[in-house]
Amino acid sequence: MDGRVWNKRSCQKAWKMYLGSNKGDVSPYAAPARAADLSGLPPTYTCVGDLDPFRDETMDYAARLRQAGVPTEFHLYPGCFHGFDEIVPTAEISQRARKEYITALKFALQNNQLNN
């Protein structure tokens, strides 16, 4: 794969740029997955490719959200790397992922309008 694909080194570099040298307390607004208590967060949709360096972190976050009682929809895309839907947008799995993103967003917006 070429340099456009996100990898573990890219993750480490990005976290360092984003959080600086702060290795202790990190605001849950900066990194929600690091929060001790996830209860009270809004319903969540998240997905990840199973070759993505964020896979384990994303799966753990989705499980913790569910354990905290947060309605959570999670999708794992087999054989997919970070940004697969942008890099190979014509692939069937990329088109399916995009359709699922849009469906989840429509559902969230419709439910928000019904509750207001």
Side-chain angles (χ1 to χ4, degrees):
M1 305 224 162
D2 65 25
R4 295 183 299 164
V5 176
W6 197 261
N7 57 37
K8 187 173 183 171
R9 186 171 177 226
S10 302
C11 287
Q12 292 168 337
K13 193 174 186 180
W15 275 118
K16 186 174 181 181
M17 287 188 298
Y18 181 61
L19 298 174
S21 61
N22 187 353
K23 298 193 190 255
D25 284 338
V26 174
S27 167
Y29 294 105
R34 295 182 182 194
D37 181 9
L38 302 178
S39 62
L41 290 177
T44 301
Y45 171 90
T46 190
C47 63
V48 69
D50 75 340
L51 301 177
D52 192 313
F54 291 112
R55 182 197 63 205
D56 294 344
E57 180 180 344
T58 303
M59 291 173 63
D60 179 58
Y61 184 52
R64 289 182 57 224
L65 285 165
R66 285 192 297 270
Q67 290 168 354
V70 176
T72 304
E73 182 176 346
F74 170 72
H75 294 251
L76 179 66
Y77 295 103
C80 293
F81 49 86
H82 189 82
F84 71 95
D85 57 319
E86 291 289 328
I87 295 171
V88 191
T90 58
E92 183 278 329
I93 198 161
S94 298
Q95 292 176 3
R96 181 172 47 122
R98 285 179 176 252
K99 182 179 177 185
E100 290 170 351
Y101 305 157
I102 292 167
T103 299
L105 182 58
K106 283 181 182 177
F107 180 79
L109 292 172
Q110 288 170 349
N111 280 343
N112 191 39
Q113 287 181 335
L114 293 173
N115 292 329
N116 288 330

